[in-house]
Amino acid sequence: MVRACRSWYHRHLADRPFSDQHGGVTVTQPDARTDAWTGARTDAQPDARTDAWTGARAGRPGKPRADVRPGAPERIPPGDRRAELAAFLRTRRGRVTPQDVGLPPGSRRRTPGLRREEVAQLAGVGVTWYTWLEQGRPINASTQVLDAISRTLRLDQAEHEHLYRLADVPAVAETEGDRGLEPETRTILDQLGPLPAAVYNARYDLMAWNATYERLFPGTTTQPPATRNALWQLFTTRDCCNPVVNREEELPQMVATLRAGFGRHLGEPAWTEFVRRLSAASPDFARMWATHDVARPGSRMKIFQHCTAGLIRTVSTSLALSSPPEARMVVYTPLDDESRERIAWLRAHPDVPAVDHTH
């Protein structure tokens, strides 16, 4: 009987803390191997396969855990500047191949483009820090680090500036106000009479135009203010009535220019609502918007089709205005004599219809 009790004791109680009853109160003697504050075993060895900073298994890229490292920034909800920055970095990283930066392609890549660890290594920053940046966590980035990331991801000038704005590094750009155009701007538009010319804001809202522009694009100038927008008209007009011939080249460029402007106006209701409405109205716009491409306004070749005057080839020149903020004057110069003659013919025949059928 004694042997049986001793055997049962060694199997079930020998490794447990000793308890004693005193007046209904249990007094427990702490195990020397147990921490008095946490209850954790002090003789436990850390798993050598687990990274102390990220909580990831060694040998495999892991996601940082905010609860592992004291002071780690928390994740943030979508829809603000950091979420936009995170999406932009992910799309740019997926665009650069290992061969572009002199790395072997490897055979076990699950996604196109560089890995986060590769971007961090090439830019000279920590893997955990870059991962947090790409996850949109609230961390600060210096201009030196942003420049290094920009070089690694091969960003052009417009993308580089966009990265700075999303990281909230430059001074906040002056927002669009309610001020109208300066009188001198309207005078210049009128003096450019032989050439179509108009003033747009950064959202492509049509703010002013001259008579020649109205002859070429009556479908836009006659719209109510809510839809008097170049992008809205180009993406929602049927192909048979769309005045721009080279849409495949020009529409992505215009959306990229809009995206760059959007980075300066994150959180502004007018911008957010415009993007939401146009995305709902045009799947093509929604697809282009999702690429996160950015561009700067510049000279572009624009080919227009007028139902009566015919094909008109022009080059558009974008001129920045001092007021209102971010407004620009776009002038369309004919590329050949035939196009110049057709524009002159439109000016001489103001009653010519812009379309030859109705829907």
Side-chain angles (χ1 to χ4, degrees), residues 119 140 147 166 201 257 280 327:
V119 174
N140 295 323
D147 289 343
L166 294 181
N201 63 13
T257 304

Side-chain angles (χ1 to χ4, degrees), residues 296-316:
R296 304 175 69 181
S299 296
R300 303 284 300 178
M301 186 176 72
K302 306 274 189 177
I303 304 175
F304 305 115
Q305 178 68 45
H306 191 278
C307 69
T308 306
L311 202 65
I312 298 176
R313 301 175 183 273
T314 70
V315 58
S316 66

Side-chain angles (χ1 to χ4, degrees), residues 45-65 67-69 128:
Q45 298 297 320
D47 190 342
R49 298 170 298 175
T50 302
D51 184 82
W53 290 102
T54 65
R57 296 290 289 271
R60 292 186 297 177
K63 295 182 179 180
R65 289 170 43 196
D67 58 339
V68 172
R69 187 175 181 179
T128 301

Side-chain angles (χ1 to χ4, degrees), residues 157-349:
Q157 183 63 30
E159 292 170 329
H160 189 106
E161 294 173 1
H162 189 62
L163 175 64
Y164 265 53
R165 286 191 294 269
L166 294 181
D168 205 18
V169 170
V172 178
E174 185 179 3
T175 58
E176 293 174 314
D178 296 330
R179 291 179 295 168
L181 293 174
E182 299 291 345
E184 295 81 3
T185 302
R186 297 186 181 276
T187 302
I188 294 172
L189 281 174
D190 293 337
Q191 293 298 317
L192 289 171
L195 302 177
V199 175
Y200 302 95
N201 63 13
R203 204 168 49 239
Y204 281 97
D205 293 330
L206 184 60
M207 304 177 68
W209 57 91
N210 62 11
T212 309
Y213 181 95
E214 186 172 7
R215 303 287 189 274
L216 189 57
F217 306 110
T220 301
T221 58
T222 56
Q223 292 295 318
T227 56
R228 194 183 299 153
N229 177 282
L231 277 174
W232 182 272
Q233 293 302 314
L234 292 177
F235 275 104
T236 60
T237 300
R238 298 186 182 186
D239 291 345
C240 61
C241 304
N242 203 310
V244 178
V245 176
N246 55 336
R247 293 189 295 276
E248 292 186 2
E249 297 83 14
E250 291 308 300
L251 290 184
Q253 177 73 16
M254 294 176 70
V255 173
T257 304
L258 179 74
R259 170 68 80 170
F262 184 79
R264 299 188 293 270
H265 298 273
L266 287 174
E268 295 185 17
W271 279 79
T272 303
E273 179 63 13
F274 175 76
V275 171
R276 185 197 66 78
R277 289 174 55 238
L278 190 50
S279 296
S282 171
D284 287 338
F285 172 81
R287 174 178 53 81
M288 296 179 193
W289 184 255
T291 65
H292 285 264
D293 290 340
V294 293
R296 304 175 69 181
S299 296
R300 303 284 300 178
M301 186 176 72
K302 306 274 189 177
I303 304 175
F304 305 115
Q305 178 68 45
H306 191 278
C307 69
T308 306
L311 202 65
I312 298 176
R313 301 175 183 273
T314 70
V315 58
S316 66
T317 304
S318 181
L319 307 172
L321 301 180
S322 59
S323 178
E326 300 186 38
R328 60 188 186 275
M329 180 182 296
V330 180
V331 183
Y332 302 89
T333 305
L335 282 174
D336 49 55
D337 292 338
E338 188 176 19
S339 297
R340 186 175 294 104
E341 292 172 359
R342 289 174 176 175
I343 291 176
W345 186 87
L346 279 176
R347 283 173 47 81
H349 298 81

Side-chain angles (χ1 to χ4, degrees), residues 108-171:
R108 301 183 62 182
R109 291 182 178 270
R110 293 177 294 178
T111 57
L114 297 177
R115 298 187 178 104
R116 287 173 175 168
E117 310 93 279
E118 293 168 338
V119 174
Q121 179 183 2
L122 293 170
V125 300
V127 177
T128 301
W129 184 91
Y130 178 79
T131 302
W132 283 343
L133 183 68
E134 195 173 288
Q135 289 176 342
R137 302 195 186 192
I139 57 178
N140 295 323
S142 66
T143 56
Q144 293 84 357
V145 169
L146 291 178
D147 289 343
I149 293 174
S150 179
R151 288 191 297 269
T152 301
L153 298 180
R154 299 192 164 194
L155 304 185
D156 61 24
Q157 183 63 30
E159 292 170 329
H160 189 106
E161 294 173 1
H162 189 62
L163 175 64
Y164 265 53
R165 286 191 294 269
L166 294 181
D168 205 18
V169 170

